[in-house]
Amino acid sequence: MITTIIGLGLMGGSAAIDLKKRGFTKRIIGVDNNVLHAETALHAGIVDEIQTLQDAVAKSELIILAIPVDAAVKMLPLILDKVDKQIVTDMCSTKEQLCLSVKDHPKRKNYLAAHPMAGTEYSGPWAAKPGLFDGKAVIFCDTENSGIRANSTVRLLFDTLNMRPVLMDAAQHDKHAAYVSHISHISSFALALTVLDQEKNENNIFDLASGGFDSTVRLAKSSSEMWSPIFEQNAENVVAVIETYIKYLENFKTAIQEHDTDKITSLILSSNKIKRVLS
Amino acid sequence: MITTIIGLGLMGGSAAIDLKKRGFTKRIIGVDNNVLHAETALHAGIVDEIQTLQDAVAKSELIILAIPVDAAVKMLPLILDKVDKQIVTDMCSTKEQLCLSVKDHPKRKNYLAAHPMAGTEYSGPWAAKPGLFDGKAVIFCDTENSGIRANSTVRLLFDTLNMRPVLMDAAQHDKHAAYVSHISHISSFALALTVLDQEKNENNIFDLASGGFDSTVRLAKSSSEMWSPIFEQNAENVVAVIETYIKYLENFKTAIQEHDTDKITSLILSSNKIKRVLS
């Protein structure tokens, strides 16, 4: 099999490394409109060759879209326009608008929407690494709208990446992703802004940063190219979660302001229940 | 030297392990009103013996308070009442009320206020481990109110724990700690509550939890015994930081609601500046 990966950043690059190493594909063609990313991926051996989108699609049996979701929404219908038997999938963090963009496309059955729930706060081909996806969940959305070949090929792809499949409709996916992924990023971005804001007046504030702060704010290193479009495409869900989040912060604020020990303790004890789902 | 550690949890237990192993003290006496903690620490070899507070203070040259800050504020003056030449220090996360509690005590010079900026989200003697403090900062507060012997003994204690000393007045400390430590915990507790709230209606939400969520919510495992008193004692600073934090969350919410790509991107790019202070 020849596989094309469009977007040679953290996700596309990491997939390329393991798909090649684990024998899923004979050859990987890379496509990236960022020349530096393309050349880095080629020279690092992450892909076998760099091609234009047109040539890559024509030569491949499988095409993986690993670009920011705003670009993916525009590009997916154009790619389906060009395919014959090729199977197409993606790795984007929101799914509803992507599925909507090809709802009535004559080649809709060639496409299967996938969201591998893996990543780091780093980006670009420099961040690509083996094993990124191992043991994590991959969400397949609206699989009934994809053909048998798309289902089996994409399933095998993510089996090779050692991912555990979960089926969900696109709207459900976007809602859940807002809760377990998107709000974590908002929370970190806002925390970074809060502390940086204070730092303007206080030189040595970071002398005090210990393990707790580091891990809570880690996601604030994430790239705006990836996250701005995610928040925009999932605006309704993300706004709802931010509102719930602010509600709980206000609860803490009031309890602390009123020195209401029982209330503070009860909020912390309730939040401790998260232990049962964390490793 | 004989050292007494009052409170044999994560902090006290971890200090005991390294202080003994690195030859700082010949013998460690443990004091803990939680019988299970005391017996566990004794049987695990974290301390050499368990004594009552009265006997332990009488027999020791150095006393380390490693208990929640509300208990410490009550106990510190009572301990200073009992000391002759003994040096006393503590490991609490807030400092202003603690220093205030012994402001006019005749033995004030025997005490030095210390905050080792280290920890994990776990608690109890089971969480104690070697190397917890290595390479982190320790804040010494209002050192001019402590005598020369207290300064040199406590400095040597934290040198042994491989900690980098930072001097600060107690009020400044509490303000900084609110920004780089306390708000991270509030942020995690509230995030856990937000997601648990949603989980009531959605069974499989945690199927989607990947690396990002885990690290952001990790601190929500932290104990209420330790954190309720910290938030209460540092109420004014913590409330101010929560307000700033909510302001930035509202900025994100509005920008997302209005699909204002430029604003979302600008918020993320500003928060990315946190990179320069993270490892």
Side-chain angles (χ1 to χ4, degrees):
Chain A
M1 168 141 65
I2 295 175
T3 302
T4 282
I5 299 183
I6 303 171
L8 304 173
L10 168 71
M11 302 295 279
S14 297
I17 292 169
D18 282 338
L19 291 177
K20 191 75 186 292
K21 199 170 68 176
R22 295 174 186 175
F24 173 82
T25 193
K26 201 178 64 186
R27 199 159 178 78
I28 295 183
I29 304 175
V31 176
D32 202 313
N33 62 10
N34 180 319
V35 177
L36 182 60
H37 282 203
E39 290 197 351
T40 301
L42 185 63
H43 287 284
I46 292 173
V47 297
D48 298 297
E49 58 185 298
I50 297 291
Q51 294 275 358
T52 62
L53 180 63
Q54 183 86 25
D55 288 350
V57 170
K59 286 181 186 172
S60 307
E61 290 145 277
L62 172 65
I63 296 136
I64 304 170
L65 264 170
I67 55 179
V69 66
D70 54 339
V73 166
K74 287 176 198 152
M75 196 180 273
L76 180 60
L78 303 177
I79 290 174
L80 285 192
D81 287 347
K82 298 187 210 301
V83 305
D84 174 27
K85 294 192 166 168
Q86 296 96 316
I87 301 301
V88 182
T89 188
D90 75 289
M91 307 184 108
C92 293
S93 297
T94 54
K95 287 273 142 332
E96 204 172 359
Q97 293 199 31
L98 207 49
C99 287
L100 209 61
S101 76
V102 292
K103 191 171 165 283
D104 300 315
H105 197 285
K107 292 288 185 181
R108 174 63 181 88
K109 288 202 172 306
N110 292 42
Y111 167 66
L112 193 143
H115 179 198
M117 300 292 295
T120 74
E121 66 275 33
Y122 303 107
S123 48
W126 309 274
K129 59 178 187 181
L132 179 69
F133 305 97
D134 287 351
K136 304 284 172 64
V138 55
I139 321 297
F140 296 132
C141 292
D142 302 346
T143 52
E144 67 283 3
N145 298 333
S146 309
I148 293 174
R149 269 198 330 115
N151 269 287
S152 61
T153 306
V154 177
R155 189 76 170 243
L156 188 62
L157 157 68
F158 286 101
D159 281 352
T160 307
L161 295 177
N162 285 337
M163 303 200 82
R164 180 170 49 83
V166 177
L167 302 189
M168 217 173 267
D169 75 60
Q172 271 310 89
H173 165 276
D174 283 10
K175 188 176 178 186
H176 285 193
Y179 275 89
V180 296
S181 167
H182 306 170
I183 189 64
S184 292
H185 285 79
I186 297 273
S187 155
S188 272
F189 288 133
L191 188 62
L193 289 168
T194 302
V195 176
L196 289 165
D197 194 48
Q198 180 61 11
E199 195 216 10
K200 283 178 210 151
N201 316 311
E202 309 279 345
N203 257 334
N204 56 348
I205 193 164
F206 293 114
D207 244 2
L208 309 198
S210 61
F213 176 69
D214 282 14
S215 76
T216 318
V217 87
R218 181 175 66 83
L219 297 178
K221 298 177 190 173
S222 304
S223 84
S224 68
E225 288 84 353
M226 172 162 175
W227 284 96
S228 293
I230 292 174
F231 297 149
E232 274 199 72
Q233 300 222 349
N234 204 13
E236 204 179 315
N237 291 314
V238 171
V239 165
V241 189
I242 295 177
E243 280 169 356
T244 309
Y245 188 49
I246 290 176
K247 182 190 80 183
Y248 281 112
L249 289 168
E250 297 277 8
N251 288 353
F252 266 104
K253 188 184 124 183
T254 308
I256 293 169
Q257 232 162 5
E258 294 172 355
H259 289 264
D260 184 345
T261 314
D262 290 349
K263 182 69 188 164
I264 302 173
T265 300
S266 137
L267 283 167
I268 295 180
L269 289 176
S270 300
S271 84
N272 285 163
K273 289 180 186 146
I274 201 75
K275 283 179 191 173
R276 71 169 189 270
V277 297
L278 293 179
S279 51
Chain B
M1 169 142 66
I2 296 176
T3 302
T4 282
I5 298 182
I6 304 172
L8 304 172
L10 168 71
M11 301 295 278
S14 297
I17 292 169
D18 282 338
L19 292 177
K20 191 74 185 293
K21 199 170 67 175
R22 296 174 185 175
F24 173 81
T25 193
K26 202 178 63 188
R27 200 160 177 78
I28 294 181
I29 305 176
V31 176
D32 202 312
N33 62 11
N34 180 318
V35 177
L36 182 60
H37 282 203
E39 291 196 352
T40 301
L42 185 63
H43 287 284
I46 291 173
V47 297
D48 297 298
E49 58 186 299
I50 296 292
Q51 293 277 356
T52 62
L53 180 63
Q54 182 87 26
D55 288 350
V57 170
K59 285 182 186 171
S60 307
E61 290 144 277
L62 172 65
I63 296 136
I64 303 170
L65 265 169
I67 56 179
V69 65
D70 54 339
V73 166
K74 288 177 197 151
M75 198 180 272
L76 180 59
L78 303 177
I79 290 175
L80 285 191
D81 288 347
K82 297 188 211 298
V83 304
D84 174 26
K85 294 194 167 167
Q86 295 95 318
I87 300 302
V88 183
T89 188
D90 74 289
M91 307 183 108
C92 294
S93 297
T94 55
K95 287 274 139 337
E96 204 172 0
Q97 293 200 31
L98 206 49
C99 288
L100 209 60
S101 77
V102 291
K103 189 169 166 287
D104 299 316
H105 197 286
K107 293 288 186 181
R108 175 63 181 89
K109 288 202 172 307
N110 291 43
Y111 167 66
L112 194 144
H115 179 199
M117 301 293 295
T120 74
E121 67 275 34
Y122 303 107
S123 48
W126 308 274
K129 60 178 186 179
L132 179 68
F133 305 97
D134 287 351
K136 304 285 173 63
V138 55
I139 321 297
F140 296 132
C141 292
D142 301 347
T143 52
E144 67 284 4
N145 298 333
S146 309
I148 292 173
R149 271 200 326 116
N151 269 288
S152 61
T153 307
V154 177
R155 188 76 172 243
L156 188 62
L157 157 67
F158 286 102
D159 281 351
T160 307
L161 295 177
N162 285 337
M163 302 199 83
R164 180 171 47 85
V166 177
L167 303 188
M168 218 173 265
D169 75 60
Q172 271 308 90
H173 165 276
D174 284 10
K175 187 175 178 185
H176 285 194
Y179 275 89
V180 296
S181 166
H182 305 171
I183 189 65
S184 292
H185 286 79
I186 297 273
S187 155
S188 272
F189 288 134
L191 188 61
L193 290 168
T194 302
V195 176
L196 288 165
D197 194 49
Q198 180 62 9
E199 195 215 9
K200 283 178 210 150
N201 316 311
E202 309 281 345
N203 256 335
N204 56 349
I205 194 165
F206 291 115
D207 244 3
L208 308 198
S210 61
F213 176 71
D214 282 14
S215 76
T216 318
V217 87
R218 180 176 67 82
L219 297 177
K221 299 178 187 173
S222 304
S223 85
S224 67
E225 288 84 352
M226 171 162 175
W227 284 96
S228 293
I230 291 173
F231 297 149
E232 274 199 72
Q233 299 221 350
N234 204 14
E236 204 179 315
N237 291 315
V238 172
V239 165
V241 189
I242 295 178
E243 280 169 356
T244 308
Y245 188 49
I246 289 176
K247 181 189 79 182
Y248 281 112
L249 289 168
E250 297 276 10
N251 288 353
F252 266 104
K253 189 184 122 181
T254 308
I256 293 169
Q257 232 162 4
E258 295 172 354
H259 290 262
D260 183 344
T261 313
D262 290 348
K263 181 71 187 162
I264 302 174
T265 299
S266 137
L267 284 167
I268 295 179
L269 288 176
S270 299
S271 84
N272 285 164
K273 290 182 186 144
I274 202 75
K275 282 179 191 175
R276 70 168 188 268
V277 296
L278 293 180
S279 51

